[in-house]
Amino acid sequence: MSEVKFKRLALIGIGLIGSSIARSARLHNLADEIVCAARTADTRRVALELGIVDTAYENPLDAVKGSDLVIFCTPVGTYETLAKLVAPALEKGAIVTDVGSVKNAVVKAIGPHLPDHVDFIPGHPVAGTEKSGPAAGFAELFIGRWCILTPTGQASEDSIKKLSVFWTAMGSKVEAMDPEHHDLVLAITSHIPHLIAYNIVGTADDLEDVTQSEVIKYSAGGFRDFTRIAASDPTMWRDVFLHNKDAVLEMLGRFTEDLTALQRAIRRDDGETLFEIFSRTRAIRRQIIDAGQETPEPDFGRVHAAEDLDHKA
Ligand code: NAP
């Protein structure tokens, strides 16, 4: 199977991820009809104005009726209620999936409520930005990024293949994994980095002997790169931490031990240890660039003052 086309794609939630799927699915002609459900009238209006969906419903039940692909694109904490709500209207043979950033909790939140006549395949596109809402999406978001599927025995091989082809057509590389393993991997690669960013930006905000204006003024020293991550959607990230508690706490324990080792090395003037750790981490960045997951440009390819003047000249 190298091509796939769904009759009707229903996106439950149409924020950054849902709207990026709508744009990409339309661009690549992956569904005859694309519909969404969104709770606020404003979101429905924007989605329609952008022309990324054919119909925007208030009630998710109306969106899933007649749909052969249903994708949950709301914060993870909403999934259980939504699954219970839409279950009676799901079509026989429909594929039901999601884009949630945690997987074990999603399997438990959605799986038990679905009828036997649908195929449930949890998923997570490892792609995103710090922006939210339907206007923030773009069709290229998934190109070259991994989409992890965590099938649990509630789907046929054929449906898993169909969903893989759907993500591949949008530019993703697809991999299958156990939900538990997904949560452990993402805890260290995504969830802990977000927690650290939220924490460091929060700490800077609380400092009494450094003024707010100094934090902003000297932010190019590293701080501003944390602020990008710390500007991510608070609802989404609250739900990620509440629903990946065990893996995050386990990784946080490891992180704290390593931070304590760094603290000790600094206190003991142990330059050798610091140098060894910093050299090891530099090699990791090289590997990420070599894997095509980051630009090799210095400072993330930002235009610097002198180049900016060159461009304007
Ligand atoms: P987003 O831009 O904030 O959009 C969220 C959507 O969910 C909006 O349509 C919103 O509707 C709707 N929604 C929020 N709370 C709801 C509720 N209580 N009931 C019904 N609908 C609700 O979020 P996103 O970044 O697309 O994230 C969506 C999902 O993708 C999350 O599960 C997240 O874990 C996952 N994900 C995100 C990223 C990322 O980097 N952002 C990456 C990979 C996966 P209104 O606009 O009407 O409020």
mmCIF file with all atom_site columns, all heavy atoms in Angstrom, residues 13-17 39-40 43 73-76 78-79 99-101 124-125 127-129 132-133 236, ligand 1:
data_model
loop_
_atom_site.group_PDB
_atom_site.id
_atom_site.type_symbol
_atom_site.label_atom_id
_atom_site.label_alt_id
_atom_site.label_comp_id
_atom_site.label_asym_id
_atom_site.label_entity_id
_atom_site.label_seq_id
_atom_site.pdbx_PDB_ins_code
_atom_site.Cartn_x
_atom_site.Cartn_y
_atom_site.Cartn_z
_atom_site.occupancy
_atom_site.B_iso_or_equiv
_atom_site.pdbx_formal_charge
_atom_site.auth_seq_id
_atom_site.auth_comp_id
_atom_site.auth_asym_id
_atom_site.auth_atom_id
_atom_site.pdbx_PDB_model_num
ATOM   1   N N   . GLY A 1 13  ? -10.874 19.017 17.532 1.00 0.00 ? 13  GLY A N   1
ATOM   2   C CA  . GLY A 1 13  ? -9.909  20.040 17.949 1.00 0.00 ? 13  GLY A CA  1
ATOM   3   C C   . GLY A 1 13  ? -9.133  20.481 16.724 1.00 0.00 ? 13  GLY A C   1
ATOM   4   O O   . GLY A 1 13  ? -8.721  19.634 15.906 1.00 0.00 ? 13  GLY A O   1
ATOM   5   N N   . ILE A 1 14  ? -8.992  21.799 16.572 1.00 0.00 ? 14  ILE A N   1
ATOM   6   C CA  . ILE A 1 14  ? -8.323  22.298 15.363 1.00 0.00 ? 14  ILE A CA  1
ATOM   7   C C   . ILE A 1 14  ? -7.365  23.434 15.753 1.00 0.00 ? 14  ILE A C   1
ATOM   8   O O   . ILE A 1 14  ? -7.490  24.568 15.315 1.00 0.00 ? 14  ILE A O   1
ATOM   9   C CB  . ILE A 1 14  ? -9.372  22.691 14.273 1.00 0.00 ? 14  ILE A CB  1
ATOM   10  C CG1 . ILE A 1 14  ? -8.764  23.052 12.922 1.00 0.00 ? 14  ILE A CG1 1
ATOM   11  C CG2 . ILE A 1 14  ? -10.325 23.770 14.747 1.00 0.00 ? 14  ILE A CG2 1
ATOM   12  C CD1 . ILE A 1 14  ? -8.706  21.925 11.959 1.00 0.00 ? 14  ILE A CD1 1
ATOM   13  N N   . GLY A 1 15  ? -6.401  23.078 16.597 1.00 0.00 ? 15  GLY A N   1
ATOM   14  C CA  . GLY A 1 15  ? -5.377  24.049 16.991 1.00 0.00 ? 15  GLY A CA  1
ATOM   15  C C   . GLY A 1 15  ? -4.155  23.895 16.095 1.00 0.00 ? 15  GLY A C   1
ATOM   16  O O   . GLY A 1 15  ? -4.283  23.592 14.901 1.00 0.00 ? 15  GLY A O   1
ATOM   17  N N   . LEU A 1 16  ? -2.972  24.087 16.680 1.00 0.00 ? 16  LEU A N   1
ATOM   18  C CA  . LEU A 1 16  ? -1.727  23.984 15.893 1.00 0.00 ? 16  LEU A CA  1
ATOM   19  C C   . LEU A 1 16  ? -1.638  22.648 15.152 1.00 0.00 ? 16  LEU A C   1
ATOM   20  O O   . LEU A 1 16  ? -1.411  22.612 13.931 1.00 0.00 ? 16  LEU A O   1
ATOM   21  C CB  . LEU A 1 16  ? -0.517  24.144 16.821 1.00 0.00 ? 16  LEU A CB  1
ATOM   22  C CG  . LEU A 1 16  ? 0.826   23.775 16.206 1.00 0.00 ? 16  LEU A CG  1
ATOM   23  C CD1 . LEU A 1 16  ? 1.281   24.838 15.215 1.00 0.00 ? 16  LEU A CD1 1
ATOM   24  C CD2 . LEU A 1 16  ? 1.896   23.559 17.269 1.00 0.00 ? 16  LEU A CD2 1
ATOM   25  N N   . ILE A 1 17  ? -1.835  21.545 15.883 1.00 0.00 ? 17  ILE A N   1
ATOM   26  C CA  . ILE A 1 17  ? -1.638  20.229 15.269 1.00 0.00 ? 17  ILE A CA  1
ATOM   27  C C   . ILE A 1 17  ? -2.802  19.867 14.343 1.00 0.00 ? 17  ILE A C   1
ATOM   28  O O   . ILE A 1 17  ? -2.597  19.466 13.189 1.00 0.00 ? 17  ILE A O   1
ATOM   29  C CB  . ILE A 1 17  ? -1.434  19.136 16.357 1.00 0.00 ? 17  ILE A CB  1
ATOM   30  C CG1 . ILE A 1 17  ? -0.232  19.483 17.253 1.00 0.00 ? 17  ILE A CG1 1
ATOM   31  C CG2 . ILE A 1 17  ? -1.268  17.767 15.723 1.00 0.00 ? 17  ILE A CG2 1
ATOM   32  C CD1 . ILE A 1 17  ? 1.114   19.485 16.581 1.00 0.00 ? 17  ILE A CD1 1
ATOM   33  N N   . ARG A 1 39  ? -14.740 23.669 20.135 1.00 0.00 ? 39  ARG A N   1
ATOM   34  C CA  . ARG A 1 39  ? -15.705 24.096 21.175 1.00 0.00 ? 39  ARG A CA  1
ATOM   35  C C   . ARG A 1 39  ? -16.047 25.573 21.069 1.00 0.00 ? 39  ARG A C   1
ATOM   36  O O   . ARG A 1 39  ? -17.150 25.975 21.374 1.00 0.00 ? 39  ARG A O   1
ATOM   37  C CB  . ARG A 1 39  ? -15.184 23.733 22.564 1.00 0.00 ? 39  ARG A CB  1
ATOM   38  C CG  . ARG A 1 39  ? -13.922 24.464 22.927 1.00 0.00 ? 39  ARG A CG  1
ATOM   39  C CD  . ARG A 1 39  ? -13.453 24.211 24.322 1.00 0.00 ? 39  ARG A CD  1
ATOM   40  N NE  . ARG A 1 39  ? -12.153 24.871 24.456 1.00 0.00 ? 39  ARG A NE  1
ATOM   41  C CZ  . ARG A 1 39  ? -11.522 25.060 25.579 1.00 0.00 ? 39  ARG A CZ  1
ATOM   42  N NH1 . ARG A 1 39  ? -12.051 24.633 26.695 1.00 0.00 ? 39  ARG A NH1 1
ATOM   43  N NH2 . ARG A 1 39  ? -10.351 25.671 25.597 1.00 0.00 ? 39  ARG A NH2 1
ATOM   44  N N   . THR A 1 40  ? -15.114 26.436 20.639 1.00 0.00 ? 40  THR A N   1
ATOM   45  C CA  . THR A 1 40  ? -15.436 27.868 20.608 1.00 0.00 ? 40  THR A CA  1
ATOM   46  C C   . THR A 1 40  ? -15.803 28.316 19.188 1.00 0.00 ? 40  THR A C   1
ATOM   47  O O   . THR A 1 40  ? -15.220 27.849 18.197 1.00 0.00 ? 40  THR A O   1
ATOM   48  C CB  . THR A 1 40  ? -14.272 28.742 21.134 1.00 0.00 ? 40  THR A CB  1
ATOM   49  O OG1 . THR A 1 40  ? -13.156 28.520 20.303 1.00 0.00 ? 40  THR A OG1 1
ATOM   50  C CG2 . THR A 1 40  ? -13.904 28.411 22.563 1.00 0.00 ? 40  THR A CG2 1
ATOM   51  N N   . THR A 1 43  ? -12.875 29.714 17.089 1.00 0.00 ? 43  THR A N   1
ATOM   52  C CA  . THR A 1 43  ? -12.002 28.714 16.451 1.00 0.00 ? 43  THR A CA  1
ATOM   53  C C   . THR A 1 43  ? -12.668 28.141 15.203 1.00 0.00 ? 43  THR A C   1
ATOM   54  O O   . THR A 1 43  ? -12.029 27.976 14.161 1.00 0.00 ? 43  THR A O   1
ATOM   55  C CB  . THR A 1 43  ? -11.653 27.589 17.457 1.00 0.00 ? 43  THR A CB  1
ATOM   56  O OG1 . THR A 1 43  ? -10.952 28.180 18.539 1.00 0.00 ? 43  THR A OG1 1
ATOM   57  C CG2 . THR A 1 43  ? -10.803 26.506 16.839 1.00 0.00 ? 43  THR A CG2 1
ATOM   58  N N   . CYS A 1 73  ? -7.403  15.839 18.457 1.00 0.00 ? 73  CYS A N   1
ATOM   59  C CA  . CYS A 1 73  ? -6.320  16.845 18.432 1.00 0.00 ? 73  CYS A CA  1
ATOM   60  C C   . CYS A 1 73  ? -6.509  17.898 19.518 1.00 0.00 ? 73  CYS A C   1
ATOM   61  O O   . CYS A 1 73  ? -6.167  19.066 19.327 1.00 0.00 ? 73  CYS A O   1
ATOM   62  C CB  . CYS A 1 73  ? -6.280  17.540 17.067 1.00 0.00 ? 73  CYS A CB  1
ATOM   63  S SG  . CYS A 1 73  ? -6.058  16.433 15.682 1.00 0.00 ? 73  CYS A SG  1
ATOM   64  N N   . THR A 1 74  ? -7.092  17.495 20.647 1.00 0.00 ? 74  THR A N   1
ATOM   65  C CA  . THR A 1 74  ? -7.291  18.413 21.782 1.00 0.00 ? 74  THR A CA  1
ATOM   66  C C   . THR A 1 74  ? -6.275  18.053 22.869 1.00 0.00 ? 74  THR A C   1
ATOM   67  O O   . THR A 1 74  ? -5.580  17.028 22.753 1.00 0.00 ? 74  THR A O   1
ATOM   68  C CB  . THR A 1 74  ? -8.725  18.241 22.329 1.00 0.00 ? 74  THR A CB  1
ATOM   69  O OG1 . THR A 1 74  ? -8.944  16.846 22.560 1.00 0.00 ? 74  THR A OG1 1
ATOM   70  C CG2 . THR A 1 74  ? -9.764  18.743 21.352 1.00 0.00 ? 74  THR A CG2 1
ATOM   71  N N   . PRO A 1 75  ? -6.196  18.831 23.949 1.00 0.00 ? 75  PRO A N   1
ATOM   72  C CA  . PRO A 1 75  ? -5.287  18.454 25.043 1.00 0.00 ? 75  PRO A CA  1
ATOM   73  C C   . PRO A 1 75  ? -5.647  17.072 25.609 1.00 0.00 ? 75  PRO A C   1
ATOM   74  O O   . PRO A 1 75  ? -6.828  16.693 25.653 1.00 0.00 ? 75  PRO A O   1
ATOM   75  C CB  . PRO A 1 75  ? -5.520  19.562 26.084 1.00 0.00 ? 75  PRO A CB  1
ATOM   76  C CG  . PRO A 1 75  ? -6.021  20.738 25.295 1.00 0.00 ? 75  PRO A CG  1
ATOM   77  C CD  . PRO A 1 75  ? -6.835  20.149 24.191 1.00 0.00 ? 75  PRO A CD  1
ATOM   78  N N   . VAL A 1 76  ? -4.630  16.350 26.050 1.00 0.00 ? 76  VAL A N   1
ATOM   79  C CA  . VAL A 1 76  ? -4.792  14.954 26.478 1.00 0.00 ? 76  VAL A CA  1
ATOM   80  C C   . VAL A 1 76  ? -5.863  14.782 27.575 1.00 0.00 ? 76  VAL A C   1
ATOM   81  O O   . VAL A 1 76  ? -6.584  13.786 27.594 1.00 0.00 ? 76  VAL A O   1
ATOM   82  C CB  . VAL A 1 76  ? -3.404  14.434 26.951 1.00 0.00 ? 76  VAL A CB  1
ATOM   83  C CG1 . VAL A 1 76  ? -3.521  13.089 27.605 1.00 0.00 ? 76  VAL A CG1 1
ATOM   84  C CG2 . VAL A 1 76  ? -2.434  14.385 25.782 1.00 0.00 ? 76  VAL A CG2 1
ATOM   85  N N   . THR A 1 78  ? -8.673  15.959 27.832 1.00 0.00 ? 78  THR A N   1
ATOM   86  C CA  . THR A 1 78  ? -10.053 15.978 27.328 1.00 0.00 ? 78  THR A CA  1
ATOM   87  C C   . THR A 1 78  ? -10.442 14.648 26.666 1.00 0.00 ? 78  THR A C   1
ATOM   88  O O   . THR A 1 78  ? -11.602 14.443 26.325 1.00 0.00 ? 78  THR A O   1
ATOM   89  C CB  . THR A 1 78  ? -10.225 17.070 26.244 1.00 0.00 ? 78  THR A CB  1
ATOM   90  O OG1 . THR A 1 78  ? -9.411  16.712 25.114 1.00 0.00 ? 78  THR A OG1 1
ATOM   91  C CG2 . THR A 1 78  ? -9.804  18.442 26.733 1.00 0.00 ? 78  THR A CG2 1
ATOM   92  N N   . TYR A 1 79  ? -9.466  13.762 26.449 1.00 0.00 ? 79  TYR A N   1
ATOM   93  C CA  . TYR A 1 79  ? -9.708  12.595 25.601 1.00 0.00 ? 79  TYR A CA  1
ATOM   94  C C   . TYR A 1 79  ? -10.791 11.643 26.129 1.00 0.00 ? 79  TYR A C   1
ATOM   95  O O   . TYR A 1 79  ? -11.596 11.133 25.362 1.00 0.00 ? 79  TYR A O   1
ATOM   96  C CB  . TYR A 1 79  ? -8.394  11.811 25.388 1.00 0.00 ? 79  TYR A CB  1
ATOM   97  C CG  . TYR A 1 79  ? -7.437  12.457 24.405 1.00 0.00 ? 79  TYR A CG  1
ATOM   98  C CD1 . TYR A 1 79  ? -7.717  13.683 23.812 1.00 0.00 ? 79  TYR A CD1 1
ATOM   99  C CD2 . TYR A 1 79  ? -6.240  11.838 24.071 1.00 0.00 ? 79  TYR A CD2 1
ATOM   100 C CE1 . TYR A 1 79  ? -6.835  14.273 22.918 1.00 0.00 ? 79  TYR A CE1 1
ATOM   101 C CE2 . TYR A 1 79  ? -5.351  12.419 23.168 1.00 0.00 ? 79  TYR A CE2 1
ATOM   102 C CZ  . TYR A 1 79  ? -5.653  13.629 22.605 1.00 0.00 ? 79  TYR A CZ  1
ATOM   103 O OH  . TYR A 1 79  ? -4.785  14.208 21.714 1.00 0.00 ? 79  TYR A OH  1
ATOM   104 N N   . VAL A 1 99  ? -3.208  12.584 18.605 1.00 0.00 ? 99  VAL A N   1
ATOM   105 C CA  . VAL A 1 99  ? -1.871  13.165 18.417 1.00 0.00 ? 99  VAL A CA  1
ATOM   106 C C   . VAL A 1 99  ? -1.236  13.498 19.769 1.00 0.00 ? 99  VAL A C   1
ATOM   107 O O   . VAL A 1 99  ? -0.269  14.258 19.841 1.00 0.00 ? 99  VAL A O   1
ATOM   108 C CB  . VAL A 1 99  ? -1.943  14.441 17.547 1.00 0.00 ? 99  VAL A CB  1
ATOM   109 C CG1 . VAL A 1 99  ? -2.400  14.117 16.138 1.00 0.00 ? 99  VAL A CG1 1
ATOM   110 C CG2 . VAL A 1 99  ? -2.864  15.500 18.171 1.00 0.00 ? 99  VAL A CG2 1
ATOM   111 N N   . GLY A 1 100 ? -1.812  12.972 20.841 1.00 0.00 ? 100 GLY A N   1
ATOM   112 C CA  . GLY A 1 100 ? -1.393  13.349 22.190 1.00 0.00 ? 100 GLY A CA  1
ATOM   113 C C   . GLY A 1 100 ? 0.079   13.072 22.463 1.00 0.00 ? 100 GLY A C   1
ATOM   114 O O   . GLY A 1 100 ? 0.638   12.077 22.010 1.00 0.00 ? 100 GLY A O   1
ATOM   115 N N   . SER A 1 101 ? 0.670   13.947 23.268 1.00 0.00 ? 101 SER A N   1
ATOM   116 C CA  . SER A 1 101 ? 2.106   13.872 23.545 1.00 0.00 ? 101 SER A CA  1
ATOM   117 C C   . SER A 1 101 ? 2.462   12.797 24.564 1.00 0.00 ? 101 SER A C   1
ATOM   118 O O   . SER A 1 101 ? 3.642   12.575 24.834 1.00 0.00 ? 101 SER A O   1
ATOM   119 C CB  . SER A 1 101 ? 2.601   15.223 24.059 1.00 0.00 ? 101 SER A CB  1
ATOM   120 O OG  . SER A 1 101 ? 2.203   16.237 23.175 1.00 0.00 ? 101 SER A OG  1
ATOM   121 N N   . HIS A 1 124 ? 1.485   9.838  17.894 1.00 0.00 ? 124 HIS A N   1
ATOM   122 C CA  . HIS A 1 124 ? 2.077   11.106 18.360 1.00 0.00 ? 124 HIS A CA  1
ATOM   123 C C   . HIS A 1 124 ? 3.055   11.648 17.314 1.00 0.00 ? 124 HIS A C   1
ATOM   124 O O   . HIS A 1 124 ? 4.150   11.105 17.167 1.00 0.00 ? 124 HIS A O   1
ATOM   125 C CB  . HIS A 1 124 ? 2.807   10.871 19.700 1.00 0.00 ? 124 HIS A CB  1
ATOM   126 C CG  . HIS A 1 124 ? 3.524   12.092 20.191 1.00 0.00 ? 124 HIS A CG  1
ATOM   127 N ND1 . HIS A 1 124 ? 4.600   12.028 21.047 1.00 0.00 ? 124 HIS A ND1 1
ATOM   128 C CD2 . HIS A 1 124 ? 3.342   13.422 19.940 1.00 0.00 ? 124 HIS A CD2 1
ATOM   129 C CE1 . HIS A 1 124 ? 5.038   13.252 21.297 1.00 0.00 ? 124 HIS A CE1 1
ATOM   130 N NE2 . HIS A 1 124 ? 4.286   14.110 20.645 1.00 0.00 ? 124 HIS A NE2 1
ATOM   131 N N   . PRO A 1 125 ? 2.664   12.708 16.607 1.00 0.00 ? 125 PRO A N   1
ATOM   132 C CA  . PRO A 1 125 ? 3.638   13.342 15.710 1.00 0.00 ? 125 PRO A CA  1
ATOM   133 C C   . PRO A 1 125 ? 4.625   14.157 16.556 1.00 0.00 ? 125 PRO A C   1
ATOM   134 O O   . PRO A 1 125 ? 4.198   15.040 17.304 1.00 0.00 ? 125 PRO A O   1
ATOM   135 C CB  . PRO A 1 125 ? 2.754   14.271 14.854 1.00 0.00 ? 125 PRO A CB  1
ATOM   136 C CG  . PRO A 1 125 ? 1.550   14.556 15.688 1.00 0.00 ? 125 PRO A CG  1
ATOM   137 C CD  . PRO A 1 125 ? 1.358   13.393 16.620 1.00 0.00 ? 125 PRO A CD  1
ATOM   138 N N   . ALA A 1 127 ? 6.394   16.716 16.463 1.00 0.00 ? 127 ALA A N   1
ATOM   139 C CA  . ALA A 1 127 ? 6.604   17.945 15.700 1.00 0.00 ? 127 ALA A CA  1
ATOM   140 C C   . ALA A 1 127 ? 5.736   19.008 16.334 1.00 0.00 ? 127 ALA A C   1
ATOM   141 O O   . ALA A 1 127 ? 4.628   18.708 16.776 1.00 0.00 ? 127 ALA A O   1
ATOM   142 C CB  . ALA A 1 127 ? 6.157   17.741 14.253 1.00 0.00 ? 127 ALA A CB  1
ATOM   143 N N   . GLY A 1 128 ? 6.202   20.214 16.384 1.00 0.00 ? 128 GLY A N   1
ATOM   144 C CA  . GLY A 1 128 ? 5.364   21.266 16.961 1.00 0.00 ? 128 GLY A CA  1
ATOM   145 C C   . GLY A 1 128 ? 6.110   22.572 17.063 1.00 0.00 ? 128 GLY A C   1
ATOM   146 O O   . GLY A 1 128 ? 7.275   22.664 16.662 1.00 0.00 ? 128 GLY A O   1
ATOM   147 N N   . THR A 1 129 ? 5.415   23.563 17.552 1.00 0.00 ? 129 THR A N   1
ATOM   148 C CA  . THR A 1 129 ? 6.039   24.861 17.823 1.00 0.00 ? 129 THR A CA  1
ATOM   149 C C   . THR A 1 129 ? 5.439   25.343 19.145 1.00 0.00 ? 129 THR A C   1
ATOM   150 O O   . THR A 1 129 ? 4.586   24.662 19.713 1.00 0.00 ? 129 THR A O   1
ATOM   151 C CB  . THR A 1 129 ? 5.722   25.905 16.732 1.00 0.00 ? 129 THR A CB  1
ATOM   152 O OG1 . THR A 1 129 ? 4.369   26.347 16.887 1.00 0.00 ? 129 THR A OG1 1
ATOM   153 C CG2 . THR A 1 129 ? 5.937   25.387 15.325 1.00 0.00 ? 129 THR A CG2 1
ATOM   154 N N   . SER A 1 132 ? -0.124  28.300 19.327 1.00 0.00 ? 132 SER A N   1
ATOM   155 C CA  . SER A 1 132 ? -1.383  27.549 19.452 1.00 0.00 ? 132 SER A CA  1
ATOM   156 C C   . SER A 1 132 ? -2.436  28.105 18.510 1.00 0.00 ? 132 SER A C   1
ATOM   157 O O   . SER A 1 132 ? -2.307  29.226 18.024 1.00 0.00 ? 132 SER A O   1
ATOM   158 C CB  . SER A 1 132 ? -1.959  27.692 20.872 1.00 0.00 ? 132 SER A CB  1
ATOM   159 O OG  . SER A 1 132 ? -1.002  27.431 21.820 1.00 0.00 ? 132 SER A OG  1
ATOM   160 N N   . GLY A 1 133 ? -3.496  27.331 18.329 1.00 0.00 ? 133 GLY A N   1
ATOM   161 C CA  . GLY A 1 133 ? -4.664  27.806 17.578 1.00 0.00 ? 133 GLY A CA  1
ATOM   162 C C   . GLY A 1 133 ? -4.602  27.468 16.098 1.00 0.00 ? 133 GLY A C   1
ATOM   163 O O   . GLY A 1 133 ? -3.538  27.150 15.564 1.00 0.00 ? 133 GLY A O   1
ATOM   164 N N   . MET A 1 236 ? -2.013  22.458 27.386 1.00 0.00 ? 236 MET A N   1
ATOM   165 C CA  . MET A 1 236 ? -1.445  21.243 26.810 1.00 0.00 ? 236 MET A CA  1
ATOM   166 C C   . MET A 1 236 ? -0.378  20.666 27.739 1.00 0.00 ? 236 MET A C   1
ATOM   167 O O   . MET A 1 236 ? -0.370  19.465 28.031 1.00 0.00 ? 236 MET A O   1
ATOM   168 C CB  . MET A 1 236 ? -0.822  21.558 25.441 1.00 0.00 ? 236 MET A CB  1
ATOM   169 C CG  . MET A 1 236 ? 0.013   20.419 24.922 1.00 0.00 ? 236 MET A CG  1
ATOM   170 S SD  . MET A 1 236 ? 1.007   20.865 23.501 1.00 0.00 ? 236 MET A SD  1
ATOM   171 C CE  . MET A 1 236 ? 2.327   19.670 23.695 1.00 0.00 ? 236 MET A CE  1
HETATM 172 P P1  . NAP B 2 .   ? -3.825  24.035 20.510 1.00 0.00 ? 1   NAP B P1  1
HETATM 173 O O1  . NAP B 2 .   ? -3.223  24.741 19.370 1.00 0.00 ? 1   NAP B O1  1
HETATM 174 O O2  . NAP B 2 .   ? -3.924  24.741 21.838 1.00 0.00 ? 1   NAP B O2  1
HETATM 175 O O3  . NAP B 2 .   ? -5.299  23.525 20.101 1.00 0.00 ? 1   NAP B O3  1
HETATM 176 C C1  . NAP B 2 .   ? -6.086  22.803 20.986 1.00 0.00 ? 1   NAP B C1  1
HETATM 177 C C2  . NAP B 2 .   ? -7.452  22.516 20.386 1.00 0.00 ? 1   NAP B C2  1
HETATM 178 O O4  . NAP B 2 .   ? -8.196  21.769 21.360 1.00 0.00 ? 1   NAP B O4  1
HETATM 179 C C3  . NAP B 2 .   ? -8.281  23.744 20.059 1.00 0.00 ? 1   NAP B C3  1
HETATM 180 O O5  . NAP B 2 .   ? -9.100  23.467 18.952 1.00 0.00 ? 1   NAP B O5  1
HETATM 181 C C4  . NAP B 2 .   ? -9.167  23.896 21.319 1.00 0.00 ? 1   NAP B C4  1
HETATM 182 O O6  . NAP B 2 .   ? -10.414 24.486 21.032 1.00 0.00 ? 1   NAP B O6  1
HETATM 183 C C5  . NAP B 2 .   ? -9.411  22.454 21.683 1.00 0.00 ? 1   NAP B C5  1
HETATM 184 N N1  . NAP B 2 .   ? -9.689  22.300 23.117 1.00 0.00 ? 1   NAP B N1  1
HETATM 185 C C6  . NAP B 2 .   ? -8.936  22.731 24.155 1.00 0.00 ? 1   NAP B C6  1
HETATM 186 N N2  . NAP B 2 .   ? -9.502  22.383 25.309 1.00 0.00 ? 1   NAP B N2  1
HETATM 187 C C7  . NAP B 2 .   ? -10.660 21.726 25.001 1.00 0.00 ? 1   NAP B C7  1
HETATM 188 C C8  . NAP B 2 .   ? -11.693 21.123 25.756 1.00 0.00 ? 1   NAP B C8  1
HETATM 189 N N3  . NAP B 2 .   ? -11.656 21.144 27.103 1.00 0.00 ? 1   NAP B N3  1
HETATM 190 N N4  . NAP B 2 .   ? -12.715 20.541 25.093 1.00 0.00 ? 1   NAP B N4  1
HETATM 191 C C9  . NAP B 2 .   ? -12.765 20.533 23.739 1.00 0.00 ? 1   NAP B C9  1
HETATM 192 N N5  . NAP B 2 .   ? -11.801 21.092 22.959 1.00 0.00 ? 1   NAP B N5  1
HETATM 193 C C10 . NAP B 2 .   ? -10.770 21.669 23.603 1.00 0.00 ? 1   NAP B C10 1
HETATM 194 O O7  . NAP B 2 .   ? -3.077  22.656 20.849 1.00 0.00 ? 1   NAP B O7  1
HETATM 195 P P2  . NAP B 2 .   ? -2.087  21.776 19.940 1.00 0.00 ? 1   NAP B P2  1
HETATM 196 O O8  . NAP B 2 .   ? -0.706  22.297 20.095 1.00 0.00 ? 1   NAP B O8  1
HETATM 197 O O9  . NAP B 2 .   ? -2.667  21.606 18.593 1.00 0.00 ? 1   NAP B O9  1
HETATM 198 O O10 . NAP B 2 .   ? -2.131  20.403 20.749 1.00 0.00 ? 1   NAP B O10 1
HETATM 199 C C11 . NAP B 2 .   ? -3.165  19.476 20.559 1.00 0.00 ? 1   NAP B C11 1
HETATM 200 C C12 . NAP B 2 .   ? -2.682  18.085 20.937 1.00 0.00 ? 1   NAP B C12 1
HETATM 201 O O11 . NAP B 2 .   ? -1.496  17.807 20.182 1.00 0.00 ? 1   NAP B O11 1
HETATM 202 C C13 . NAP B 2 .   ? -2.333  17.887 22.404 1.00 0.00 ? 1   NAP B C13 1
HETATM 203 O O12 . NAP B 2 .   ? -2.856  16.683 22.861 1.00 0.00 ? 1   NAP B O12 1
HETATM 204 C C14 . NAP B 2 .   ? -0.823  17.838 22.416 1.00 0.00 ? 1   NAP B C14 1
HETATM 205 O O13 . NAP B 2 .   ? -0.337  16.996 23.443 1.00 0.00 ? 1   NAP B O13 1
HETATM 206 C C15 . NAP B 2 .   ? -0.504  17.301 21.038 1.00 0.00 ? 1   NAP B C15 1
HETATM 207 N N6  . NAP B 2 .   ? 0.797   17.712 20.469 1.00 0.00 ? 1   NAP B N6  1
HETATM 208 C C16 . NAP B 2 .   ? 1.176   19.018 20.531 1.00 0.00 ? 1   NAP B C16 1
HETATM 209 C C17 . NAP B 2 .   ? 2.411   19.397 20.004 1.00 0.00 ? 1   NAP B C17 1
HETATM 210 C C18 . NAP B 2 .   ? 2.880   20.841 20.068 1.00 0.00 ? 1   NAP B C18 1
HETATM 211 O O14 . NAP B 2 .   ? 4.077   21.111 19.974 1.00 0.00 ? 1   NAP B O14 1
HETATM 212 N N7  . NAP B 2 .   ? 2.002   21.801 20.217 1.00 0.00 ? 1   NAP B N7  1
HETATM 213 C C19 . NAP B 2 .   ? 3.227   18.454 19.373 1.00 0.00 ? 1   NAP B C19 1
HETATM 214 C C20 . NAP B 2 .   ? 2.777   17.128 19.276 1.00 0.00 ? 1   NAP B C20 1
HETATM 215 C C21 . NAP B 2 .   ? 1.560   16.768 19.831 1.00 0.00 ? 1   NAP B C21 1
HETATM 216 P P3  . NAP B 2 .   ? -10.684 26.064 21.194 1.00 0.00 ? 1   NAP B P3  1
HETATM 217 O O15 . NAP B 2 .   ? -9.726  26.767 20.285 1.00 0.00 ? 1   NAP B O15 1
HETATM 218 O O16 . NAP B 2 .   ? -12.097 26.174 20.739 1.00 0.00 ? 1   NAP B O16 1
HETATM 219 O O17 . NAP B 2 .   ? -10.461 26.384 22.633 1.00 0.00 ? 1   NAP B O17 1
#
